[in-house]
Amino acid sequence: PEPIENKLTELTITGYNIDFNPNIYSYNVLINDESELKLNYKPQNEKSTVIVDGNQNLQNGSVIKITVKGDGGEEKIYTINVLKKQNT
């Protein structure tokens, strides 16, 4: 059987376009003043576990990590680097 990869087939952030590609693991997003982002994602393998870390009290420079764990324990991590628009 073909090994199932621990990737996301879909990752969107409501209100922002990150131009998601399953083979790209790092994204930068410039946000307004949210303290949390609405993430929508779909793992390639339904049996994978998806863990989101860091999506609260967002500051300029916050990092959100989305870890996709396969049933064999292997994992891939997608990173969203958060930049906040500075009020000038």
Side-chain angles (χ1 to χ4, degrees), residues 44-88:
Q44 186 173 342
N45 176 1
E46 294 169 358
K47 294 189 176 114
S48 295
T49 309
V50 179
I51 300 160
V52 177
D53 194 34
N55 188 20
Q56 65 274 327
N57 302 320
L58 295 175
Q59 308 291 326
N60 191 33
S62 288
V63 176
I64 300 170
K65 287 187 176 167
I66 302 165
T67 305
V68 185
K69 283 191 180 175
D71 3 356
E74 55 292 313
E75 55 185 49
K76 292 254 167 48
I77 299 174
Y78 291 89
T79 305
I80 299 171
N81 302 301
V82 176
L83 301 168
K84 273 199 177 184
K85 292 181 179 166
Q86 302 300 309
N87 295 332
T88 48

Side-chain angles (χ1 to χ4, degrees), residues 12-51:
T12 59
I13 302 173
T14 301
Y16 299 97
N17 178 13
I18 58 166
D19 203 11
F20 179 70
N21 175 325
N23 301 309
I24 295 174
Y25 297 97
S26 184
Y27 297 88
N28 297 324
V29 63
L30 181 63
I31 67 170
N32 295 309
D33 202 30
E34 297 93 329
S35 59
E36 194 175 311
L37 294 176
K38 186 162 174 21
L39 303 173
N40 307 291
Y41 48 79
K42 186 184 286 179
Q44 186 173 342
N45 176 1
E46 294 169 358
K47 294 189 176 114
S48 295
T49 309
V50 179
I51 300 160

